[in-house]
Amino acid sequence: MDLLSIKWIVNLLVCWFFIGVGCNSVEKKIYVHLNYTVPCVRLLNATHQIGCQSKLSGNVGVLHVLESEENVDWVLSTGANPPYLVILESALFTRSIMMKLKNGSSRVAGVAVIVPNTNPLGGFSPHTSCPNENTGVYSESYDPALAHCNVTMWNPFGNGLSYEEFDFPIFSMKDDNDSQVIRQCYMDHNRGLNGGAPQYPLCAMQLYSHMSAVTDTATCMRRNDINLSVIPEMVCDPLADYNVWASTKPLNTTAKGHKTGESVVVAAARLDSRSFFFDVAPGAESGVSGFVSLLAAASALKNVIQEAPPTRTIFYTFFQGETFDYIGSSRMVYDMENNQFAVDLDNVHSVLEIGQVGLRNDSKLWLHSDPVSRKNSSVNEEVRKLITNLQSAAVNLNFTVDEPNFSQPLPPSSFQRFLRARPIPGVVIEDHESAYLNRFYESMYDNSDYLRMSYPSNLTQEEQLAFVTETAKALTEVATLVARALYIQAGGAEAQLKNINADPDIVRVTSGNT
């Protein structure tokens, strides 16, 4: 992403006509290259495309710093020098403004969003208000009354920007010296006096983020296959990664499918997160809080399982791609159904999933279950046992666990993909009773600051790595709860619970490295 000053173009043209004049310094006079910029990228699914991209050679537009939503009219109709490249302060990066710019894209060359150094006070989530709405268990055939977030709108701050298509590039940039250069260039050259039009020379910007992928996944993958060049050029890459799983007892992974006599308790968490801008997806609350807690729980169970193994196997699973229509859990369930996995669904006794647990109001965690499958008496009995085990495991911890006080569907969770295959007992642990506490779900602001992972100001960076924050202590207690509940659920003796305690140093190291 580059900042271009139009007033230097004359110098470049003069250079072309005079042989022997050195041109190496001309680019430095024309461009100010910006650091710490991250693009919005194009993504495809089975039906269409979303995201952003530039033209093949990049997009160039006259610099315009948007000062208010009313000022959008200058870009879309009033301004005399389109196309404009719009600079947005984070407070103006809203669905209302972005959709106006999208609809007037013939006059918009691109957008750069200046990201503040501290999180905004309000909420911002570019994800949808009903995450994974069409790929969970609730549908017209399962329970229409619970489908499409009819009962609970899980992500009320969701504005859906991540699922819109923009035919111009959009970048994020830090609020630093580079952004000050842009603001100053705008103030010096592009901001008209007394409401009048600015006079040349003007500052402009060039954004480059060309994407070859178009239309939909099937079309793009087909174009990959028919590439006839000597060096094949990939026009799109699949979203791909690996689920991670481990069991407390060795399993014969060579023989796929059903294991006679084997009963497993699935302990699940998700690994991935996303945001509007590629590769700026910290996911501190949406993802990290859950999988760090599960890793710490697995560590806490290691010794007691070796000394007093439970009757069932605990099956730790970490799913990738859950943000994108449950890619990871969908694949595992598919393989289980088709005898392509180490165990099958008949081996699954129950599921305990850790969701968002980094924010807790009133020191309480909520135990969510599926009201539809619980109409089956045997499933309901096992769910009640699992909830009782969790309540027993919470004794002497600094929080309580409870069920939501009204019938509602499961929150978006990997467990829903298991329920699509068959009714399986399970519980999803969350820090919210209904709508998310997370005001920055799947955004660049869902970071360690939001989880209040603060350090004393006098610590060095190395000392910070050894410091156990209050957040780490809280997640350690969640890990202890999960470890104890898993052990009882797997058939272990309650007398061993006093020996199961998560290590805050494990949480500190794991969360610090993520």
Side-chain angles (χ1 to χ4, degrees):
M1 180 163 129
D2 306 310
L3 178 64
L4 168 65
S5 178
I6 289 179
K7 61 183 180 180
W8 292 112
I9 290 181
V10 174
N11 291 345
L12 179 59
L13 295 175
V14 170
C15 221
W16 286 344
F17 285 103
F18 290 92
I19 299 174
V21 176
C23 293
N24 292 336
S25 64
V26 173
E27 182 181 351
K28 295 180 181 179
K29 295 179 179 179
I30 298 175
Y31 290 98
V32 175
H33 295 283
L34 304 180
N35 302 309
Y36 310 115
T37 59
V38 183
C40 156
V41 301
R42 170 166 287 175
L43 296 170
L44 311 176
N45 66 10
T47 58
H48 61 287
Q49 61 192 27
I50 59 175
C52 326
Q53 79 152 1
S54 72
K55 298 175 182 176
L56 184 61
S57 58
N59 288 30
V60 178
V62 172
L63 190 65
H64 183 79
V65 177
L66 199 67
E67 298 175 359
S68 68
E69 184 162 358
E70 292 71 27
N71 194 227
V72 173
D73 187 59
W74 175 269
V75 175
L76 301 181
S77 59
T78 308
N81 302 297
Y84 288 98
L85 209 147
V86 182
I87 308 299
L88 291 180
E89 302 290 345
S90 63
L92 296 177
F93 184 46
T94 64
R95 180 175 181 86
S96 173
I97 289 177
M98 291 305 300
M99 294 308 291
K100 288 179 181 179
L101 295 176
K102 174 182 176 177
N103 295 332
S105 59
S106 61
R107 291 176 58 91
V108 179
V111 173
V113 181
I114 298 177
V115 179
N117 296 317
T118 58
N119 284 3
L121 295 177
F124 176 81
S125 172
H127 208 280
T128 60
S129 58
C130 188
N132 290 2
E133 177 178 358
N134 298 311
T135 50
V137 68
Y138 302 107
S139 63
E140 303 306 319
S141 59
Y142 192 74
D143 191 328
L146 301 180
H148 310 299
C149 294
N150 288 332
V151 175
T152 303
M153 190 61 67
W154 295 106
N155 185 31
F157 287 101
N159 59 35
L161 277 179
S162 288
Y163 292 87
E164 293 290 341
E165 180 187 3
F166 297 91
D167 57 4
F168 49 75
I170 304 175
F171 277 73
S172 73
M173 58 184 298
K174 289 187 175 181
D175 192 356
D176 55 11
N177 291 337
D178 286 343
S179 61
Q180 290 302 319
V181 169
I182 291 174
R183 291 185 182 103
Q184 194 60 50
C185 193
Y186 169 76
M187 295 299 293
D188 291 345
H189 300 282
N190 292 21
R191 197 172 192 265
L193 298 177
N194 300 319
Q199 302 298 313
Y200 279 96
L202 302 174
C203 287
M205 287 184 73
Q206 180 180 20
L207 303 181
Y208 177 82
S209 62
H210 181 70
M211 311 281 164
S212 298
V214 292
T215 310
D216 55 44
T217 299
T219 302
C220 201
M221 297 303 286
R222 185 168 64 247
R223 290 176 179 175
N224 275 348
D225 295 336
I226 63 174
N227 198 310
L228 302 178
S229 61
V230 177
I231 303 177
E233 179 182 355
M234 300 293 288
V235 295
C236 59
D237 295 308
L239 278 171
D241 212 313
Y242 294 94
N243 292 329
V244 179
W245 64 268
S247 62
T248 54
K249 186 171 69 176
L251 294 174
N252 183 357
T253 57
T254 303
K256 306 292 186 183
H258 187 68
K259 299 290 189 298
T260 303
E262 186 68 70
S263 179
V264 302
V265 176
V266 175
R270 54 178 281 191
L271 289 173
D272 65 298
S273 61
R274 69 169 297 198
S275 79
F276 186 86
F277 298 103
F278 178 74
D279 210 26
V280 187
E285 160 74 341
S286 64
V288 176
S289 65
F291 76 71
V292 165
S293 297
L294 184 53
L295 285 171
S299 176
L301 283 170
K302 178 182 176 182
N303 291 335
V304 71
I305 284 179
Q306 289 177 343
E307 296 170 4
T311 55
R312 298 187 184 95
T313 300
I314 299 175
F315 198 77
Y316 304 110
T317 58
F318 299 87
F319 293 118
Q320 281 280 15
E322 297 302 273
T323 303
F324 300 100
D325 297 337
Y326 304 119
I327 291 175
S329 54
S330 297
R331 181 55 189 260
M332 181 174 284
V333 171
Y334 175 85
D335 287 344
M336 284 181 171
E337 288 183 298
N338 291 277
N339 294 322
Q340 295 298 312
F341 197 69
V343 295
D344 69 3
L345 289 172
D346 287 331
N347 294 125
V348 177
H349 172 268
S350 52
V351 176
L352 178 59
E353 180 174 351
I354 312 176
Q356 302 181 89
V357 291
L359 303 169
R360 296 207 301 267
N361 283 347
D362 301 323
S363 298
K364 182 174 286 190
L365 288 176
W366 296 94
L367 310 180
H368 295 265
S369 58
D370 170 45
V372 180
S373 60
R374 289 186 67 174
K375 293 176 182 177
N376 179 307
S377 59
S378 61
V379 170
N380 184 58
E381 182 181 354
E382 288 298 333
V383 172
R384 288 265 26 115
K385 288 180 181 178
L386 180 51
I387 291 173
T388 300
N389 291 339
L390 284 159
Q391 291 170 337
S392 298
V395 173
N396 297 325
L397 296 178
N398 292 321
F399 59 85
T400 58
V401 295
D402 201 356
E403 295 180 81
N405 59 10
F406 62 95
S407 180
Q408 65 177 356
L410 281 169
S413 51
S414 305
F415 179 42
Q416 290 199 28
R417 296 300 297 190
F418 285 84
L419 289 174
R420 279 177 63 124
R422 64 175 61 180
I424 294 175
V427 166
V428 179
I429 304 175
E430 303 276 5
D431 57 18
H432 51 89
E433 180 181 13
S434 53
Y436 293 166
L437 299 180
N438 188 355
R439 294 180 288 114
F440 302 120
Y441 182 73
E442 303 299 5
S443 82
M444 55 191 168
Y445 305 122
D446 186 5
N447 51 31
S448 59
D449 290 342
Y450 186 46
L451 289 189
R452 300 182 291 276
M453 289 185 65
S454 57
Y455 301 89
S457 58
N458 60 340
L459 296 185
T460 65
Q461 195 165 15
E462 289 185 357
E463 289 172 335
Q464 286 181 2
L465 292 175
F467 182 80
V468 179
T469 64
E470 292 301 314
T471 301
K473 292 176 184 178
L475 292 181
T476 300
E477 292 218 313
V478 175
T480 297
L481 167 76
V482 171
R484 291 175 179 177
L486 284 172
Y487 186 72
I488 305 173
Q489 185 69 8
E494 290 195 30
Q496 293 288 339
L497 292 189
K498 63 181 181 297
N499 299 321
I500 301 175
N501 294 283
D503 185 352
D505 283 331
I506 294 292
V507 175
R508 169 185 61 79
V509 171
T510 309
S511 58
N513 288 337
T514 53

